[in-house]
Amino acid sequence: GGGFGRGGGGGAGGAPAGIPEVPGSLLATVRQVAGKAGLIQQYCLALGGHSRVKRSQLSLALTRAGVEVEQKRLQALLEYAGQGAGSVDVERLLRKCCGS
């Protein structure tokens, strides 16, 4: 099933309605994470056993899902999703990346 529609014409448009503004440098990472959200969630559950995981576990889950994110970018991604400190609420992070 379909998933999220690819927005119409590219170029310098604003963000589509309902999707928070993503910093340009993060956009590719956010899209990657959104595309692999199901896998990432599975790996995080396997590692943490519940919906909150340590940052190191999230990093490992991302790598296993085939999303390469260096630490600096991971930090920016977490801050974007309001998860900058402490353990990470995986579901919230993924929802944010998927734009809902």
Side-chain angles (χ1 to χ4, degrees), residues 3 34 36 46 50-51 53 57 60 63 71-73 76 86 90 92:
K36 299 274 177 81
H50 47 79
S51 63
V53 296
Q57 292 171 317
L60 187 59
T63 304
Q71 289 305 309
K72 204 171 63 182
R73 182 158 303 199
V90 178
R92 256 183 76 184

Side-chain angles (χ1 to χ4, degrees), residues 8-99:
I19 296 183
E21 198 59 60
V22 182
S25 59
L26 265 186
L27 194 57
T29 305
V30 167
R31 288 209 170 129
Q32 268 188 300
V33 169
K36 299 274 177 81
L39 263 181
I40 292 165
Q41 192 166 28
Q42 267 180 311
Y43 287 133
C44 284
L45 281 173
L47 288 165
H50 47 79
S51 63
R52 294 190 86 86
V53 296
K54 295 193 199 79
R55 187 171 306 206
S56 56
Q57 292 171 317
L58 175 64
S59 195
L60 187 59
L62 288 170
T63 304
R64 283 188 186 170
V67 181
E68 289 299 326
V69 187
E70 69 261 25
Q71 289 305 309
K72 204 171 63 182
R73 182 158 303 199
L74 181 61
Q75 177 63 32
L77 182 70
L78 292 173
E79 281 170 9
Y80 162 72
Q83 304 287 321
S87 61
V88 180
D89 183 335
V90 178
E91 218 168 292
R92 256 183 76 184
L93 173 68
L94 295 176
R95 272 209 305 270
K96 181 88 175 184
C97 288
C98 292

